[in-house]
Amino acid sequence: MPDLPPNVVRTPDARFDGLPEWPFAPQYLWADLPGLDGPLRLHVVDEGPRGAAETVLMLHGEPSWSYLYRRMIPPVVAAGHRAVAFDFPGFGRSDKPTRTSAYTYELFRAALLDVVRQLDLRNVTLVVQDWGGLMGLPAAALDVPDRIARLVVMNTFLPTGRERPTLGFKVWKASVRVLGRHLPIGALMRIALPARQAPFVQGYTAPFPSARHKAGAATWPLLVPSDPSDPVAEVMVRARAALAMWDKPCLLVWSASDPILGGAWKTFERLVPTAAAPTFVRGGHFLQDASGAEIADHVVAFMDAASSA
């Protein structure tokens, strides 16, 4: 087992003991990623039969982790599929570089592609939300299209730096810029989740026992391109061009009450030729938390329909 690289911390396992609705045993991969002085340990949830014909890969965003998909994984597995979710560097049970400069778009991109290739995921239904979309959709369209069978797109965007951000995103980005590593993740999740979901805030704060563990959460929102000259914007432009020619099935599942991305479904409905009108669910930005089982049912039905077409 490799040593922990310099300037990297690991959340103690005890922080994850007894989390509500989280029965999944941790599994880990080691990845050599750009800009680091050694391999990172990446946490993966890998449930269901390894030899299943269909795999559902679920990508989280900010400041969440695989815990966000706890209500989607069991129904997917019950339908006979393999369910995979992993934590990006700096989040969940994955290792966390302590320098904000370590967190680049290429770091996250390399981590995602490494997981896909190490697990040899094929015939994938890719489920993305928030930053999971900014990472997963370019990967699907540009890097590993041969491994992706269909897309499920939820409350995300592909910003090119030319759009006018919503007020909700402006406030969020400004807050992250000011608070940095002192971002009060627990308080933010209490605001974002419905009152009945309050017991699950513990799950979202578990990965972050100190400010040193929050460098990724303090950086990811700032990587959203606000100018067309941003290198990340160029990736988004190329991804949009590829998705405009996407000929595989695409399902939009959306929460319109999201104050940041509630209306972004219109972009994907226009952009992706195979995307129909969205299926709307409740839940605000973290729609998987409030409507995970319902979303999973939609995903399984979508897969069944696509497979029999």
Side-chain angles (χ1 to χ4, degrees), residues 232-275:
V232 178
E234 189 269 337
V235 176
M236 299 297 127
V237 169
R238 290 195 295 118
R240 284 190 181 214
L243 288 170
M245 298 184 290
W246 188 261
D247 60 359
K248 302 173 188 177
C250 177
L251 173 67
L252 304 182
V253 180
W254 225 264
S255 172
S257 60
D258 180 349
I260 297 175
L261 295 167
W265 60 269
K266 300 171 187 175
T267 295
F268 292 100
E269 188 181 42
R270 291 192 298 264
L271 176 65
V272 184
T274 56

Side-chain angles (χ1 to χ4, degrees), residues 62-85:
E62 158 88 10
S64 57
W65 59 291
S66 299
Y67 189 70
L68 185 64
Y69 288 102
R70 67 191 181 279
R71 293 174 174 169
M72 291 184 61
I73 294 169
V76 167
V77 172
H81 307 307
R82 183 180 183 182
V84 177

Side-chain angles (χ1 to χ4, degrees), residues 123-237:
N123 203 21
V124 171
T125 295
L126 181 65
V127 179
V128 301
Q129 182 259 343
D130 190 76
W131 257 102
L134 277 74
M135 303 311 310
L137 294 177
L142 302 172
D143 297 312
V144 288
D146 57 314
R147 294 177 181 264
I148 309 301
R150 55 192 73 87
L151 301 174
V152 178
V153 183
M154 309 188 299
N155 288 64
T156 188
F157 200 54
L158 291 174
T160 66
R162 298 184 181 277
E163 303 83 11
R164 179 177 295 178
T166 62
L167 177 61
F169 182 72
K170 287 180 179 178
V171 171
W172 167 237
K173 192 171 184 178
S175 299
V176 173
R177 193 183 302 277
V178 170
L179 294 169
R181 299 166 189 261
H182 299 288
L183 193 67
I185 291 172
L188 289 168
M189 295 305 296
R190 287 186 182 89
I191 294 171
L193 296 177
R196 62 185 174 278
Q197 298 295 94
F200 303 103
V201 171
Q202 173 195 356
Y204 293 106
T205 58
F208 307 109
S210 77
R212 295 186 72 221
H213 293 76
K214 294 182 182 180
T219 305
W220 222 358
L222 306 183
L223 294 180
V224 175
S226 56
D227 186 275
S229 64
D230 189 312
V232 178
E234 189 269 337
V235 176
M236 299 297 127
V237 169

Side-chain angles (χ1 to χ4, degrees), residues 70-130:
R70 67 191 181 279
R71 293 174 174 169
M72 291 184 61
I73 294 169
V76 167
V77 172
H81 307 307
R82 183 180 183 182
V84 177
F86 93 102
D87 300 339
F88 281 98
F91 296 86
R93 298 186 82 140
S94 289
D95 285 347
K96 300 169 177 66
T98 58
R99 295 176 175 173
T100 55
S101 59
Y103 293 95
T104 63
Y105 188 85
E106 286 309 314
L107 174 82
F108 293 118
R109 185 177 189 170
L112 170 57
L113 294 176
D114 195 276
V115 168
V116 169
R117 288 165 178 156
Q118 281 200 53
L119 297 180
D120 195 24
L121 302 182
R122 299 180 183 275
N123 203 21
V124 171
T125 295
L126 181 65
V127 179
V128 301
Q129 182 259 343
D130 190 76

